[in-house]
């Protein structure tokens, strides 16, 4: 028998601490992101990053729709659907995808260039598609767990808001609205994601599985930056 099969389950507090400790592998520590925050990237490198991350942005609602499609619990679906609306927009709210388009325009990309996805490199496309496919095929609770990289997202957005206006004065500050909006939304989403994860993964073996799932998502984000960096040396 494995250690996980015989070990006692962590308490909710201990389990959450284990999940949060995985932040050491978040892409905030990737060399490309460190150079970005230090003001060391060229305009073409910033544009390459924005164009490639757009592929991730437009796939987030599809990932969340897959979770809803697999989830039989109405109360969960009613809460989770807000994530789709946050990105696709609704009513007067243009949504996160449009905010990212505005970021693209602020760094010198056209709306057509972003939506054509012609700048998306194969490694990014492969990583994002793997994430969406995981959400489609995994139990919905596991797909929810994979979203918990948002625990670490507010810091990365705050860093960009703090450093970009100084280091990249050529970028219109109005284009940074996506980062501003995601701080509070990520904090709200983490609350629900943790609620599901802590309530579902209750044995030690399940908790170890949750850590593996979270690591998978961290690897997705890290490998995206690997591919972006390779394409924009």
């Amino acid at each position: 028998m494995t250690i996980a099969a015989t070990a006692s389950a962590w308490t909710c507090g201990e389990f959450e601490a284990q999940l949060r400790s995985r932040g050491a592998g978040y892409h905030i520590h990737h060399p490309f992101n460190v150079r970005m925050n230090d003001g060391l990237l060229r305009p073409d490198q910033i544009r390459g990053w924005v164009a490639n991350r757009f592929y991730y942005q437009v796939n987030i609602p599809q990932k969340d729709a897959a979770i809803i499609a697999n989830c039989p619990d109405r109360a969960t679906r009613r809460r989770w659907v807000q994530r789709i609306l946050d990105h696709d927009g609704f009513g007067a709210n243009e949504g996160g995808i449009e905010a990212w388009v505005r970021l693209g325009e602020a760094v010198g990309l056209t709306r057509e260039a972003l939506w054509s996805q012609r700048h998306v490199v194969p490694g990014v496309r492969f990583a994002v598609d793997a994430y969406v496919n995981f959400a489609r095929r995994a139990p919905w609770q596991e797909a929810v767990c994979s979203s918990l990289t948002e625990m670490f997202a507010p810091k990365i957005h705050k860093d960009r808001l703090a450093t970009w206006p100084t280091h990249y004065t050529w970028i219109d500050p109005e284009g940074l609205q996506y980062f501003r909006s995601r701080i509070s939304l990520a904090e709200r989403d983490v609350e629900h994601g943790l609620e599901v994860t802590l309530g579902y993964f209750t044995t030690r073996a399940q908790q170890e599985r949750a850590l593996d799932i979270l690591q998978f998502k961290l690897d997705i984000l890290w490998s995206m930056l690997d591919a972006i960096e390779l394409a924009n040396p």
Side-chain angles (χ1 to χ4, degrees), residues 13-230:
E14 292 169 337
F15 182 28
E16 181 175 343
Q18 289 286 336
L19 291 166
R20 290 188 180 277
S21 72
R22 294 302 174 100
Y26 190 53
H27 64 192
I28 196 172
H29 304 295
H30 192 286
F32 188 88
N33 188 73
V34 172
R35 296 206 317 276
M36 181 189 295
N37 285 345
D38 287 344
L40 301 178
L41 296 189
R42 304 184 307 269
D44 65 296
Q45 291 174 312
I46 293 287
R47 285 191 283 271
W49 176 77
V50 171
N52 276 275
R53 282 284 300 194
F54 184 67
Y55 187 67
Y56 179 77
Q57 302 303 324
V58 297
N59 274 277
I60 289 175
Q62 295 186 59
K63 176 267 297 183
D64 288 323
I67 292 174
I68 290 175
N70 290 332
C71 177
D73 182 65
R74 179 172 179 259
T76 298
R77 294 196 306 268
R78 284 167 61 91
R79 292 176 67 181
W80 204 267
V81 73
Q82 185 62 49
R83 297 175 182 237
I84 297 177
L85 300 177
D86 287 342
H87 280 84
D88 278 340
F90 64 97
N93 179 359
E94 292 184 316
I97 291 175
E98 178 61 23
W100 197 271
V101 171
R102 301 287 176 81
L103 173 63
E105 292 175 328
V107 303
L109 292 163
T110 66
R111 181 177 294 266
E112 185 276 331
L114 284 169
W115 280 108
S116 73
Q117 300 175 6
R118 61 174 175 265
H119 297 299
V120 179
V121 298
V124 167
R125 193 179 297 275
F126 184 86
V128 173
D129 289 353
Y131 180 42
V132 175
N133 286 332
F134 172 79
R136 286 172 175 155
R137 297 170 182 173
W140 68 270
Q141 297 94 334
E142 292 194 355
V144 166
C145 177
S146 72
S147 75
L148 285 178
T149 50
E150 286 192 295
M151 291 187 294
F152 320 119
K155 176 67 165 59
I156 208 169
H157 297 320
K158 290 175 183 177
D159 283 353
R160 290 166 186 157
L161 290 170
T163 60
W164 280 36
T166 300
H167 294 315
Y168 306 112
T169 56
W170 53 275
I171 300 176
D172 184 351
E174 290 300 314
L176 307 183
Q177 178 57 32
Y178 177 86
F179 304 139
R180 297 187 190 98
S181 66
R182 284 306 305 171
I183 294 172
S184 61
L185 294 179
E187 291 170 345
R188 179 206 67 195
D189 291 347
V190 165
E191 180 181 355
H192 187 202
L194 276 175
E195 179 184 317
V196 171
T197 299
L198 297 178
Y200 178 76
F201 298 88
T202 55
T203 69
R204 182 62 172 271
Q206 288 175 323
Q207 292 168 339
E208 295 282 2
R209 168 66 177 161
L211 293 176
D212 288 343
I213 293 167
L214 183 56
Q215 187 61 54
F216 162 74
K217 175 61 181 308
L218 289 166
D219 290 346
I220 290 289
L221 296 173
W222 194 277
S223 63
M224 286 173 61
L225 278 190
D226 280 346
I228 293 169
E229 183 176 44
L230 184 63

